[in-house]
Amino acid sequence: MKQQIAILFIFIVSLHCKEKQIPIQADKAELTSIQASSSLKDPKDNYNVNHLSDKSNKSWCEGNADTGIGERITIIYKNPQKVLVENLYIKNGYGDTKYYSLNGRVKEFKILVDDKEMGLVTIPDSSVKEVIKFPTPLEGNKFSLEIVSIYPGKLKDTCIAELSFADFLIPEPPLSVFCGI
């Protein structure tokens, strides 16, 4: 009888462990896609959503006729277990700093995890990479960031150079060296 109880206990514990999977850190998770509700149309496709993760100074710009409020970026992971997100890494605005103030920048995002609203996050108006720590880590497979408010630029377009839940490094452009005689 004790042996049967022990086997039943092990069986119940193993079922519970299968249901309660440990989440994987965002920097180790496999990204399925980054999507945007719109992108600024350009013959060279200069402002597409892929620029959010290309580790360059190229930028995604929303394609709304107005300032981009209500536009959404969605990051989807394909891991079977949940992805643990503790920080948002963002280089806000247009990536090339000489055009930074020309375009709008995100001031506030509404955060949604697996289509459930989690709250708002404020982004500093800064041309350098910022790290935004969430008060409570987020767990899910689909993370959406909806533009709620912006820092206006001279143009109506709102842009983001890089955005990720894992840290990134944007290589500096090579220095031009002038050798004169």
Side-chain angles (χ1 to χ4, degrees):
M1 180 71 173
K2 286 183 182 180
Q3 186 179 14
Q4 290 173 332
I5 292 173
I7 291 172
L8 181 62
F9 176 75
I10 291 169
F11 177 73
I12 291 170
V13 168
S14 69
L15 282 178
H16 177 72
C17 290
K18 285 181 183 175
E19 290 174 13
K20 182 78 172 153
Q21 292 184 341
I22 298 171
I24 187 169
Q25 293 285 334
D27 61 343
K28 308 248 187 310
E30 191 172 347
L31 189 64
T32 299
S33 68
I34 299 177
Q35 304 165 356
S37 55
S38 72
S39 292
L40 183 61
K41 299 297 181 226
D42 174 73
K44 296 180 183 176
D45 204 24
N46 286 330
Y47 308 106
N48 75 62
V49 72
N50 295 322
H51 292 312
L52 289 174
S53 62
D54 67 358
K55 298 177 181 70
S56 77
N57 281 316
K58 295 178 181 177
S59 302
W60 166 77
C61 297
E62 51 74 29
N64 187 315
D66 207 2
T67 59
I69 292 175
E71 295 300 307
R72 189 179 282 194
I73 298 163
T74 302
I75 299 172
I76 301 171
Y77 294 94
K78 68 176 172 184
N79 298 74
Q81 70 265 49
K82 299 287 183 186
V83 175
L84 181 69
V85 171
E86 299 178 278
N87 301 308
L88 172 65
Y89 299 86
I90 184 169
K91 186 170 190 265
N92 204 4
Y94 196 81
D96 187 333
T97 54
K98 62 185 167 188
Y99 302 114
Y100 180 78
S101 62
L102 191 61
N103 295 283
R105 286 91 50 208
V106 174
K107 184 175 185 178
E108 280 184 310
F109 276 128
K110 180 191 320 178
I111 307 290
L112 297 102
V113 178
D114 296 331
D115 297 319
K116 181 181 174 195
E117 190 173 326
M118 304 303 286
L120 297 176
V121 62
T122 302
I123 311 298
D125 192 9
S126 167
S127 64
V128 298
K129 178 178 73 174
E130 296 286 342
V131 180
I132 312 299
K133 184 159 184 62
F134 295 121
T136 306
L138 308 173
E139 286 184 29
N141 291 94
K142 179 181 173 186
F143 299 87
S144 297
L145 304 150
E146 184 177 309
I147 300 172
V148 174
S149 63
I150 64 156
Y151 300 103
K154 293 177 183 168
L155 302 173
K156 286 187 177 181
D157 305 324
T158 297
C159 302
I160 301 171
E162 290 288 318
L163 183 134
S164 178
F165 295 123
D167 200 2
F168 60 84
L169 177 67
I170 300 174
E172 294 295 321
L175 295 175
S176 299
V177 179
F178 176 73
C179 298
I181 297 179

